[in-house]
Amino acid sequence: MSDQVKYILSEADIPKFWYNINADSPLPPPPVLNPLTLEPITPEFLNVLFPMDLILQEVSTERYIEIPKEVRDIYRIWRPTPLLRARRLEIALDTPAHIYYKHEGTSPSGSHKPNTAIAQAFYNKASGVKAMTTETGAGQWGTALSIGCHYFDLDLEVYMVKVSYNQKPYRRVYMETFGASVFASPTDRTEFGRQVLAKDPDNPGSLGMAISEAVEVAANSGGKKKYGLGSVLNHVLLHQTVIGEESLKQMDMAGEYPDVVIGCVGGGSNFGGIALPFLRGNLTNGKKTRLIGVEPTASPSLTRGIYAFDYGDTAKMAPVVKMHTLGHDFIPAPIHAGGLRYHGMSPLLCNFYNAGYMEAIAVHQLGTFEAAIQFAQCEGIIPAPESAHAIRVVIDEALDAKEKGEKRVILFNLSGHGHFDMAAYDAYFSGKLQDYELPQEEIDRARVTLPKVSMPA
Ligand SMILES: *Cc1c(COP(=O)(O)O)cnc(C)c1O
């Protein structure tokens, strides 16, 4: 075992294939339903929103899907990302555990999201589309897709949740730098947005509403515009597997294999990206790595959501999928990890979670910031508040290993840096943040809003 801190791969080590867990999964994937009929969806319906290449990836059972040369070429700007060992954090915790992290905050937009944004823009361009539409909450996904669309010469309309639009003006400017048009959602540009505003002119917006607007614009564009989603879907998790594939090589350089892999979960893409190649090790190679997804107590879809078919968006226009959900009209509390506030979760991860192949933990906001600051002071990197959820559980695992006198190898995904989130840190330092536990009534309320699906579940 080496004494190194940083494990660096060369450009030649950028994966040439994405890994598709569906080839190795013992679990049949649940069907995806048409939101109008609640019958299994057809590729033609999906094709209104997505190019055919991405739809084929969504349902593929091919184990390895080749990454197009044009996409790898752009990946070279920041990939492979470094893997680091958090030695100073280990010392501060006085733990026998070894803590490694994959640093996805080194991408141009500062998170893992360009891994799929570049790929989605490429496939949209290749299908002859002129423009993409999307939503963004905290702004991470919109910034990533603005870069992707710029590289492949596509126009981009971003529907940004109104509270974030007002709280985070620099995210908008970032997207505009790459030529995107950004609108505060709900807008008066769509039928759905106008309906919401008529009832409530000051509606702060939500991710579910912004998705509805972006989907409506694409669906009514006569095929000129298609829609891109930054998480949740199978093809998004597929594109993110470059994180785990590189990590496997880097752990090998370190001469270790993780006992635990940890990531925060909003829609599940960064966690899926790092964890699925290790799940392959569990499924096909006798490994026994624990995989832990970490979510906020304010938006606890995996740990407390209902496992059922639900709409992907508030206006019931997006496909209906089987997932752990808080209800498609869920309006989350304004916690500062904006990227973890979606009402649902990747159906692929939910399937594995439900069958016991992965674990999930919900953590409170204050403990999360405490962990973020301890990590920052040891490692010199200010994490995104989303990533800090993972760090909370990493520290708890390292302390548990200490208590039990165990050597434990922990790997986590640092999904992004927090340089755009200083206002959230400021709120924490000035004592304005508090812990929030979603009341059970909220979850019970969601139950009545679920679509009545007569499918064998
Ligand atoms: C968007 C985002 C997340 C949450 O999304 P997932 O799809 O669950 O990965 C987590 N961390 C950062 C930094 C993000 O930008």
Side-chain angles (χ1 to χ4, degrees):
M1 214 249 338
S2 83
D3 189 39
Q4 246 167 280
V5 162
K6 199 153 88 276
Y7 296 90
I8 302 288
L9 297 167
S10 73
E11 275 182 26
D13 292 308
I14 296 173
K16 296 191 172 59
F17 297 89
W18 291 303
Y19 169 57
N20 180 9
I21 190 81
N22 279 327
D24 292 316
S25 173
L27 309 170
V32 175
L33 308 181
N34 181 317
L36 302 172
T37 62
L38 300 182
E39 295 291 326
I41 210 159
T42 59
E44 293 72 37
F45 184 94
L46 282 174
N47 194 216
V48 172
L49 299 181
F50 305 105
M52 205 44 90
D53 286 326
L54 292 178
I55 297 169
L56 292 175
Q57 290 181 1
E58 193 63 22
V59 297
S60 173
T61 51
E62 205 180 321
R63 183 167 286 106
Y64 293 102
I65 294 179
E66 190 165 5
I67 305 176
K69 183 184 169 301
E70 293 85 341
V71 173
R72 291 184 78 238
D73 236 25
I74 296 175
Y75 278 177
R76 290 197 300 174
I77 294 172
W78 76 97
R79 304 215 70 84
T81 60
L83 179 100
L84 292 103
R85 180 156 166 211
R87 299 199 76 113
R88 288 168 193 276
L89 181 61
E90 290 171 14
I91 292 164
L93 297 171
D94 187 24
T95 175
H98 292 181
I99 302 173
Y100 293 87
Y101 60 100
K102 182 71 165 159
H103 190 0
E104 289 294 309
T106 55
S107 84
S109 65
S111 80
H112 63 290
K113 293 205 170 71
N115 296 332
T116 183
I118 302 296
Q120 291 188 37
F122 168 79
Y123 287 114
N124 273 279
K125 181 69 179 184
S127 77
V129 163
K130 302 289 176 233
M132 291 185 73
T133 70
T134 198
E135 75 293 331
T136 197
Q140 279 281 13
W141 168 238
T143 54
L145 193 60
S146 72
I147 298 173
C149 284
H150 168 72
Y151 275 126
F152 291 104
D153 196 22
L154 293 165
D155 288 338
L156 175 63
E157 282 176 39
V158 181
Y159 292 83
M160 184 170 187
V161 177
K162 194 182 279 171
V163 272
S164 305
Y165 184 94
N166 292 331
Q167 277 171 5
K168 302 187 170 178
Y170 297 134
R171 294 276 185 170
R172 169 178 58 75
V173 179
Y174 190 119
M175 293 181 260
E176 288 170 350
T177 305
F178 291 91
S181 308
V182 188
F183 307 103
S185 167
T187 72
D188 59 6
R189 298 172 56 84
T190 64
E191 189 55 42
F192 176 70
R194 286 189 291 272
Q195 274 174 28
V196 173
L197 290 174
K199 271 186 239 152
D200 176 11
D202 297 323
N203 192 296
S206 71
L207 214 45
M209 285 183 206
I211 295 176
S212 298
E213 291 206 276
V215 164
E216 183 182 323
V217 172
N220 294 338
S221 71
K224 288 196 202 66
K225 301 177 185 177
K226 294 212 193 278
Y227 164 72
L229 187 60
S231 187
V232 182
L233 300 176
N234 296 349
H235 67 262
V236 180
L237 273 68
L238 174 81
H239 299 155
Q240 294 294 355
T241 56
V242 290
I243 303 171
E245 294 290 22
E246 287 176 10
S247 301
L248 271 164
K249 284 190 186 172
Q250 288 160 308
M251 290 303 301
D252 210 39
M253 287 166 84
E256 303 213 81
Y257 195 88
D259 299 305
V260 198
V261 173
I262 299 171
C264 64
V265 285
S269 75
N270 88 83
F271 174 75
I274 196 163
L276 294 177
F278 290 95
L279 180 55
R280 173 183 58 207
N282 290 358
L283 292 172
T284 66
N285 202 17
K287 301 287 189 189
K288 293 202 165 56
T289 302
R290 292 168 56 217
L291 308 169
I292 310 177
V294 188
E295 60 187 10
T297 50
S299 183
S301 40
L302 271 181
T303 51
R304 293 179 62 207
I306 305 160
Y307 191 38
F309 285 97
D310 197 8
Y311 301 98
D313 72 323
T314 310
K316 310 182 187 179
M317 292 163 63
V320 169
V321 295
K322 192 171 181 201
M323 60 184 175
H324 287 82
T325 178
L326 301 168
H328 54 272
D329 53 0
F330 174 65
I331 306 254
I335 57 155
H336 277 278
L340 305 181
R341 289 196 287 186
Y342 184 60
H343 67 273
M345 182 56 63
S346 149
L348 187 149
L349 289 185
C350 288
N351 204 6
F352 282 117
Y353 175 65
N354 196 54
Y357 289 86
M358 63 168 276
E359 304 164 37
I361 302 178
V363 295
H364 277 292
Q365 183 160 242
L366 295 180
T368 293
F369 274 95
E370 196 184 297
I373 288 155
Q374 184 167 26
F375 178 81
Q377 291 183 347
C378 292
E379 301 301 312
I381 300 167
I382 297 186
E386 290 87 353
S387 318
H389 287 69
I391 298 171
R392 173 71 270 159
V393 172
V394 167
I395 290 175
D396 293 345
E397 280 285 329
L399 293 175
D400 181 65
K402 173 181 174 178
E403 200 180 294
K404 297 189 174 131
E406 270 173 41
K407 188 197 144 193
R408 195 175 298 176
V409 179
I410 302 169
L411 167 65
F412 78 95
N413 195 19
L414 184 64
S415 54
H417 67 63
H419 296 181
F420 276 113
D421 302 286
M422 287 297 105
Y425 279 87
D426 191 32
Y428 174 73
F429 288 130
S430 53
K432 289 189 194 121
L433 298 191
Q434 53 198 25
D435 286 341
Y436 180 81
E437 186 96 39
L438 185 67
Q440 186 58 37
E441 305 89 78
E442 285 281 308
I443 297 168
D444 297 339
R445 178 208 54 83
R447 201 174 290 278
V448 277
T449 70
L450 296 174
K452 309 271 172 298
V453 174
S454 54
M455 298 286 301

